[in-house]
Amino acid sequence: LRANFSVIQKETGFVNGLIAVLHDITELEKIDAERREFVANVSHELRTPLTSMRSYLEALTDGAWRDEEIAPNFLEVTKTETERMIRMVNDLLQLSKMDSTDYRLNKEWVNFVTFFDRIIDRLEMAKDSNVTFKRSLPPHAIFVEIDEDKLTQVLYNIISNAIKYSPEGGQVTFSIQEEEEKIIVSISDEGMGIPKENIGKIFDRFYRVDKARTRKLGGTGLGLAIAKEMVNAHGGTIWATSVEGKGTVISFSLPYERFEEDEWS
Ligand code: ADP
């Protein structure tokens, strides 16, 4: 009986070990495949503007620089592309910082309502389109523990998309909903919307519904991926709902504890 027992033990030990090893390999292979795909994406994303710039610069050196109409136009294109590449590299650095293990949030207790309001003010001032803003924020304070810099970037990325994809005179609405253990922050627009089959992918790195169009709008395809990383780091989630031709709502949650009045005193 004892001998049998040890054999069984051996067998289970072996099988368990095998399963664990196989599991590790698939996990590592998956990470490796993702890394390779990411590097291929980065190379492609940088090569496209670089080859286009090379053509413009070649045309300029071949004589277009003499043409007073064409030359400034070609130089403008190369400048815009350079600026977009700088944005992309900055976004990539940001993502790589978040991927590293020593990534820390610098959290403080903040009244989210005034924080949100201030950011909306800043973007309302900066926008150069005739999109209108509507705030539907609670009249009382909501305290959450957040990294202000990170959440400022999350809100910038979402709101600048809402403005970018809005039609002439469209309205962007801001709201906060309080729930038992979280708050939900939503930014909705009346833009072109996102097709159902693509909505799950918009938080992926480099994913864009219409590559040519968003490239023209100066997009890098990294804004929502960064927003997702940052919201997740706070213990929240981010999602989108959209109706094509009607508009898009981007929402994210943040952990929140509702305090009774007297607990603050
Ligand atoms: P980008 O720099 O291209 O805007 P993002 O990561 O911010 O990259 O967004 C990814 C894609 O999701 C965009 O290219 C666009 O296709 C889609 N998208 C994001 N926000 C909106 C919105 N408010 N309305 C319509 N499409 C949107």
Side-chain angles (χ1 to χ4, degrees), residues 84 87 91 157-166 187-195 198-199 201-211 213-215 217-227 240 242 247-250:
R84 200 170 68 82
R87 267 203 302 281
D91 283 356
N157 291 358
I158 298 173
I159 300 169
S160 49
N161 277 345
I163 298 171
K164 212 159 54 174
Y165 299 107
S166 275
I187 293 103
S188 55
D189 64 59
E190 300 174 333
M192 78 241 268
I194 301 163
N198 304 331
I199 206 152
K201 299 195 202 118
I202 62 166
F203 299 98
D204 292 352
R205 296 175 185 193
F206 290 121
Y207 186 80
R208 282 159 299 192
V209 175
D210 178 346
K211 282 211 187 245
R213 189 170 186 283
T214 53
R215 197 169 284 137
L217 290 170
T220 62
L222 294 170
L224 288 180
I226 291 176
S242 185
T248 303
V249 187
I250 306 282

Side-chain angles (χ1 to χ4, degrees), residues 5-31:
F5 186 59
S6 74
V7 168
I8 289 165
Q9 251 196 336
K10 253 191 207 156
E11 268 176 17
T12 21
F14 179 66
V15 171
N16 281 347
L18 194 63
I19 288 171
V21 169
L22 275 179
H23 179 73
D24 268 349
I25 289 171
T26 38
E27 195 56 32
L28 280 177
E29 272 179 353
K30 208 177 125 222
I31 292 168

Side-chain angles (χ1 to χ4, degrees), residues 100-117:
S100 76
T101 41
D102 58 349
Y103 177 61
R104 293 254 182 289
L105 289 178
N106 205 351
K107 288 208 245 176
E108 272 175 60
W109 285 98
V110 170
N111 175 3
F112 198 84
V113 182
T114 47
F115 167 73
F116 195 20
D117 209 34

